[in-house]
Amino acid sequence: MLKLINESEAALRESEERYRSLFSKACEGIMLMTSAGKLVSVNESFAKMHGYSIDEIRAINLHTLDAPCSRQLVDERISRILSGESITFEVEHYHKDGYIFPLEVSSSLISIGTEPLIQSFYRDISERKQVERNLRQLSQAVDQSPVTVVITDINGSIEYVNPKFSEMTGYSFTEAIGQNPSILSSGTKLPEEYKELWDTIKSGKEWRGVFHNKHKNGSFFWEEAHISPITDENGTITNFLAFKENITERRRIEQQLQIRQRMDSIGTLVGGIAHDFNNILAALKGNIDLLSMSNENFNEKQKRFLDNVSMSTNRAVDLIGQFQTLSAVRSTDTKTIDIHDIAEEVFSLLEQTTDWLIKKEIKFNKGEFLVSANAGELHQVLLNLATNSLHAIEVREITNND
């Protein structure tokens, strides 16, 4: 019997020694307290995470470690533990240096000897909380991003889209999930281009390009896309991430600029040709004027021919002048302009350059409308309005009833 008692006591001592070793060497903070809330023991990790030594932590009232937001729940949690419930919760404690940090606590009721004790394991979750904050900030940034964000799996099935995607394409989050981005295809991109895209991103590189996409409602829009792979810790591609920006308006402006540049080039060419023709016409007109001054030897028919040539030459000079005005290099300078004069010039140019029967009717007087503007640009505006109107008129046969 005595032998059995000695063996039991030895086993108990060994168990207690093992527990004390685990208690003191554990990475987690451990605290033992009575059901009345009296401290029994804490380990070094608990003291260290609070910035204290073992002796310092034992000398203070542990309730003073609780931040205000955590104190109000202490009694309720102790009551649950004493009822036999094991609970895990988060608290905020004061560090010795004065700042507050978060902890995750797992508490349960244990028995050492005959006395029930509350055992709590404390884990500093400051880093985890920081990661969670970063993730929330990232999530909010993506959700509020002014560009479209799309995440797909390695086969191209959509796993995530941000609200901007829905705004841009007309497809809701629910409608987009599980679909392939090809639902937006307008059919203008060649298969070879898609192959080049997939070959690039599957090789681990970023692909940049432009898509002409189709909205859910059937309208079209342009997007500039940056697509790159997402890899795990082993470098294996797990997803693809796309950032896409609507560039429809930018392309429209660029096209207008290109047209403007081409028109400027044509204007420069026309200006050069007009200048050369003007020099030729000046010589021609000079000779005609000389002939007119000495036409007393001409018969009536010859005089009539000379008058016709002179009239046609003057019309050509006027026409070349109109071309020179139209092709003049535009400047930002403005001056006071009589719109009546500009309208007269535009009608004159149209009468000489089109086969249309144009009835000129200016319903205001010279000097009635004066504006501060750029003469060349105002001339171009009125000319564009006039030519657009001519092109919009339906060509039809003129009858005796017209």
Side-chain angles (χ1 to χ4, degrees):
M1 177 65 71
L2 182 60
K3 181 179 179 181
L4 289 174
I5 292 175
N6 290 336
E7 288 178 353
S8 297
E9 289 178 347
L12 180 60
R13 285 194 300 272
E14 183 179 351
S15 177
E16 290 177 348
E17 185 63 32
R18 188 182 304 113
Y19 177 81
R20 280 193 293 271
S21 177
L22 292 173
F23 183 86
S24 62
K25 295 179 181 179
C27 295
E28 295 179 324
I30 304 175
M31 180 178 69
L32 292 175
M33 59 185 295
T34 66
S35 57
K38 181 181 178 182
L39 177 65
V40 174
S41 183
V42 294
N43 69 347
E44 186 175 351
S45 294
F46 181 89
K48 187 176 180 179
M49 69 175 55
H50 288 82
Y52 295 95
S53 66
I54 286 286
D55 293 336
E56 288 174 328
I57 202 76
R58 287 172 178 168
I60 66 173
N61 183 345
L62 291 181
H63 291 299
T64 61
L65 296 177
D66 290 318
C69 62
S70 301
R71 291 173 188 167
Q72 57 189 353
L73 298 175
V74 171
D75 292 339
E76 183 266 337
R77 286 168 177 158
I78 290 177
S79 177
R80 289 171 60 190
I81 295 167
L82 292 178
S83 69
E85 185 179 352
S86 296
I87 61 174
T88 299
F89 52 93
E90 293 182 7
V91 297
E92 290 185 343
H93 278 188
Y94 283 108
H95 191 273
K96 182 181 180 181
D97 292 338
Y99 64 85
I100 294 175
F101 67 103
L103 294 155
E104 183 181 72
V105 186
S106 297
S107 298
S108 59
L109 193 65
I110 65 171
S111 294
I112 297 181
T114 59
E115 183 180 9
L117 298 175
I118 297 175
Q119 178 178 253
S120 298
F121 293 86
Y122 290 79
R123 290 170 288 277
D124 186 343
I125 56 173
S126 299
E127 289 187 7
R128 190 176 82 189
K129 287 294 184 181
Q130 183 61 49
V131 170
E132 290 174 355
R133 282 193 294 272
N134 291 342
L135 288 175
R136 280 195 301 271
Q137 291 172 354
L138 177 60
S139 177
Q140 291 174 359
V142 171
D143 285 346
Q144 298 171 17
S145 173
V147 301
T148 296
V149 179
V150 180
I151 298 177
T152 73
D153 63 16
I154 57 174
N155 297 314
S157 295
I158 296 174
E159 295 185 346
Y160 171 83
V161 294
N162 70 337
K164 191 65 177 181
F165 173 91
S166 299
E167 177 187 332
M168 195 66 60
T169 67
Y171 291 95
S172 67
F173 180 89
T174 303
E175 291 173 322
I177 299 305
Q179 296 289 340
N180 191 285
S182 61
I183 59 173
L184 303 176
S185 175
S186 64
T188 58
K189 212 168 189 63
L190 298 175
E192 294 80 8
E193 295 178 283
Y194 282 112
K195 182 179 183 303
E196 187 267 334
L197 185 162
W198 278 104
D199 288 346
T200 300
I201 60 178
K202 283 186 175 181
S203 68
K205 300 175 183 178
E206 180 187 49
W207 180 88
R208 297 187 180 190
V210 174
F211 291 108
H212 189 213
N213 283 340
K214 188 176 182 180
H215 192 279
K216 185 181 177 181
N217 64 13
S219 62
F220 296 93
F221 61 98
W222 291 91
E223 283 188 315
E224 184 176 70
H226 294 211
I227 306 176
S228 56
I230 299 174
T231 59
D232 61 17
E233 62 276 7
N234 298 317
T236 302
I237 296 175
T238 59
N239 298 89
F240 296 109
L241 171 66
F243 292 98
K244 299 190 288 181
E245 179 183 4
N246 189 321
I247 59 169
T248 305
E249 181 63 15
R250 191 174 82 191
R251 283 183 69 93
R252 184 187 69 81
I253 294 174
E254 288 174 349
Q255 288 173 350
Q256 288 182 340
L257 180 60
Q258 290 172 358
I259 293 172
R260 176 68 177 269
Q261 290 172 339
R262 286 198 295 268
M263 292 302 294
D264 286 344
S265 298
I266 293 172
T268 301
L269 177 62
V270 169
I273 295 173
H275 176 75
D276 291 340
F277 268 103
N278 204 40
N279 291 336
I280 296 171
L281 287 172
L284 181 61
K285 190 174 184 304
N287 284 285
I288 291 172
D289 290 342
L290 290 175
L291 284 173
S292 297
M293 288 187 292
S294 57
N295 63 359
E296 58 275 359
N297 297 323
F298 293 166
N299 60 37
E300 290 302 319
K301 186 176 182 180
Q302 290 172 328
K303 288 180 180 180
R304 191 168 61 254
F305 285 160
L306 183 60
D307 289 342
N308 290 337
V309 171
S310 178
M311 186 184 304
S312 296
T313 302
N314 288 333
R315 286 186 60 195
V317 170
D318 289 340
L319 181 59
I320 292 298
Q322 294 287 348
F323 278 126
Q324 287 179 317
T325 300
L326 181 62
S327 63
V329 177
R330 294 181 179 89
S331 69
T332 58
D333 295 336
T334 60
K335 62 181 180 179
T336 301
I337 300 170
D338 189 340
I339 294 184
H340 189 282
D341 293 341
I342 300 295
E344 286 279 8
E345 292 177 4
V346 169
F347 274 119
S348 176
L349 179 61
L350 290 173
E351 287 172 344
Q352 298 178 64
T353 58
T354 69
D355 296 328
W356 290 81
L357 296 176
I358 298 173
K359 178 184 177 181
K360 178 173 69 177
E361 186 176 354
I362 303 176
K363 294 186 176 181
F364 54 89
N365 299 320
K366 183 174 177 63
E368 187 174 350
F369 288 103
L370 302 178
V371 296
S372 178
N374 179 279
E377 292 184 351
L378 185 56
H379 190 285
Q380 183 66 58
V381 168
L382 292 181
L383 183 60
N384 288 344
L385 288 173
T387 53
N388 289 341
S389 299
L390 289 175
H391 293 155
I393 296 175
E394 179 182 3
V395 178
R396 59 190 178 88
E397 182 181 356
I398 299 177
T399 67
N400 293 331
N401 296 325
D402 290 334

